[in-house]
Amino acid sequence: MAVFLVVGSLAAYAEEHGEPGTAEKTAVEVPQWLRNIRLSGYGMVQYQTTYEDEYDEDDSESSTFNLRFMRLILDGKIGDFDWRTQIQGTNVRGAGEPTVQLLDLYAEWTRYKELRIRAGQFQRPFSFESTIHPISQGFFDLADVVKQLTGFGDRAGERSSAGRDIGVQVQGDILPNSKGRALVHYQVGLFNGEGINTKDKDNRKDLAASLWVMPVEGLRIGVSGWTGSHGKMMVADGAGGTTEASVPLNRYCLSAEYDRNEYTFRAEYIHSQGWGTGVIGSRTVDYRLGDKADGWYALGMVPVIKNKLQVKARYQTYRVSKEWGTSKSLYEVGVNYFITKNLQLNFEYARLNDRTRDKHNYNLMDVQLDFRF
């Protein structure tokens, strides 16, 4: 919108300052950087219901319409630098999760594809799924293990940051084959370690890195790691009270994906070591959770009608304390219907087994209308 206002003002200025008494208008040259600005965005509207196998009057069932979120994006280019800013509006989910927040704000030097340097706020290089477009991801939400262990409402208490942090990163594509397609991609980043729009709380930086190989077109196999800490956490002082300290964090992820010609298959395993709070926005460690958690998922999406109809299935498990007694598993099936290229309707049914609940098994149905512009 800002772009249109600027361009409109320039045009109005040119018209007003033409030669008096003539129909000629002064030509105003719009700078290249301004012409390179692009406005885009997307939105996701949802209906979701959960229910037991038999009617239960304990209010455990739910049925609601929901505005998942809307995002507005401005991309641009100035010389050898690309830049992006992205703002998200969403429903209020809990403590420390504002309705409107800045997601991305960064610039990246892109002269060489083998070495690009990015600085600002952006997604950490950890896990394949955490960096995939929310609509292209294909299911009603990210896998639980991705949400809990990559900064989407993290078990460590970090507020929902959509996998983002503030820092600097180098990345690149190297070792091209005979056709010029790179066989290896790498990313290494240094971050505050506190999540979105937040300064470092302990002056220690987090290191996150990802490396994947692409032996054939459409296939990538990767590993990523993340080590660091969360500052100013409340931990046990050994005398029955609490004291403020930094809590270490160490994670790794194993990933594989094939994505080509509308066929998508992806699987990941993520392991975390480090005490957490279990509550978004909390800074008090809950030792009942243990200092280890893990989880995995595997999914497939296959076209039935090209560019129109896709069927999908996913299995996922997340273990809060890396024990089966704290596991939550989902078995999901559904379809994605593409009304147009930028408008789609998604339906999904899931059977859930949550061993942290008195009644382990329940059902979920989700319908979403997603659009891009």
Side-chain angles (χ1 to χ4, degrees), residues 318-358:
Y318 171 63
R319 302 192 297 179
V320 177
S321 302
K322 202 181 176 181
E323 297 176 354
W324 281 107
T326 65
S327 69
K328 179 180 177 180
S329 299
L330 288 82
Y331 306 83
E332 306 162 64
V333 294
V335 297
N336 297 330
Y337 177 68
F338 301 90
I339 303 169
T340 68
K341 179 181 179 181
N342 294 321
L343 180 66
Q344 67 186 72
L345 186 64
N346 309 324
F347 171 79
E348 191 168 337
Y349 165 78
R351 178 70 169 176
L352 291 84
N353 177 267
D354 187 347
R355 300 192 182 188
T356 65
R357 292 165 47 113
D358 292 334

Side-chain angles (χ1 to χ4, degrees), residues 39-69:
L39 172 67
S40 62
Y42 55 95
M44 307 178 79
V45 180
Q46 176 185 54
Y47 169 75
Q48 188 174 98
T49 179
T50 60
Y51 56 95
E52 307 283 355
D53 291 333
E54 297 180 0
Y55 180 73
D56 193 343
E57 295 183 354
D58 64 0
D59 294 326
S60 61
E61 301 184 359
S62 68
S63 173
T64 183
F65 290 103
N66 181 38
L67 302 178
R68 279 196 63 192
F69 52 70

Side-chain angles (χ1 to χ4, degrees), residues 112-352:
Y112 305 107
K113 64 180 180 180
E114 297 84 3
L115 176 64
R116 304 193 298 275
I117 303 174
R118 178 181 295 186
Q121 179 166 283
F122 49 90
Q123 289 177 312
R124 301 181 185 100
F126 186 78
S127 160
F128 285 175
E129 181 156 304
S130 70
T131 60
I132 293 174
H133 192 291
I135 296 178
S136 301
Q137 182 268 340
F139 288 78
F140 78 91
D141 206 343
L142 301 173
D144 280 347
V145 65
V146 176
K147 291 193 295 182
Q148 293 288 336
L149 302 182
T150 68
F152 289 78
D154 205 282
R155 80 186 294 269
E158 176 185 304
R159 67 179 181 176
S160 183
S161 298
R164 289 160 169 83
D165 205 340
I166 305 172
V168 61
Q169 173 180 283
V170 295
Q171 64 178 329
D173 298 300
I174 58 177
L175 302 181
N177 62 12
S178 59
K179 297 182 179 179
R181 184 179 61 82
L183 299 176
V184 176
H185 177 82
Y186 73 90
Q187 297 172 296
V188 181
L190 203 62
F191 302 90
N192 280 342
E194 302 296 342
I196 206 166
N197 303 321
T198 305
K199 293 182 178 180
D200 202 333
K201 296 183 182 296
D202 60 5
N203 297 322
R204 303 177 185 178
K205 299 297 178 282
D206 283 18
L207 176 67
S210 182
L211 177 72
W212 66 74
V213 296
M214 300 168 283
V216 299
E217 191 168 357
L219 175 67
R220 57 177 177 160
I221 302 170
V223 58
S224 51
W226 173 8
T227 182
S229 63
H230 283 89
K232 296 185 178 180
M233 303 288 283
M234 301 307 297
V235 302
D237 62 5
T242 59
T243 187
E244 194 174 82
S246 293
V247 175
L249 175 73
N250 297 287
R251 292 174 178 174
Y252 68 84
C253 177
L254 306 176
S255 311
E257 179 185 64
Y258 178 79
D259 186 8
R260 183 170 168 78
N261 295 329
E262 299 184 49
Y263 288 85
T264 301
F265 302 94
R266 184 168 62 252
E268 292 191 290
Y269 171 80
I270 305 178
H271 181 276
S272 175
Q273 183 274 321
W275 300 104
T277 70
V279 178
I280 297 172
S282 171
R283 305 201 72 82
T284 302
V285 169
D286 185 348
Y287 291 96
R288 296 171 299 178
L289 299 178
D291 75 333
K292 292 184 175 64
D294 72 346
W296 54 89
Y297 71 87
L299 64 83
M301 295 184 285
V302 177
V304 175
I305 303 174
K306 187 174 178 61
N307 299 322
K308 186 60 66 174
L309 183 65
Q310 190 178 55
V311 295
K312 60 186 180 182
R314 178 171 68 175
Y315 164 70
Q316 58 165 308
T317 291
Y318 171 63
R319 302 192 297 179
V320 177
S321 302
K322 202 181 176 181
E323 297 176 354
W324 281 107
T326 65
S327 69
K328 179 180 177 180
S329 299
L330 288 82
Y331 306 83
E332 306 162 64
V333 294
V335 297
N336 297 330
Y337 177 68
F338 301 90
I339 303 169
T340 68
K341 179 181 179 181
N342 294 321
L343 180 66
Q344 67 186 72
L345 186 64
N346 309 324
F347 171 79
E348 191 168 337
Y349 165 78
R351 178 70 169 176
L352 291 84

Side-chain angles (χ1 to χ4, degrees), residues 14-26:
E15 184 173 353
E16 290 176 7
H17 292 77
E19 291 295 329
T22 72
E24 295 181 3
K25 298 179 181 179
T26 303

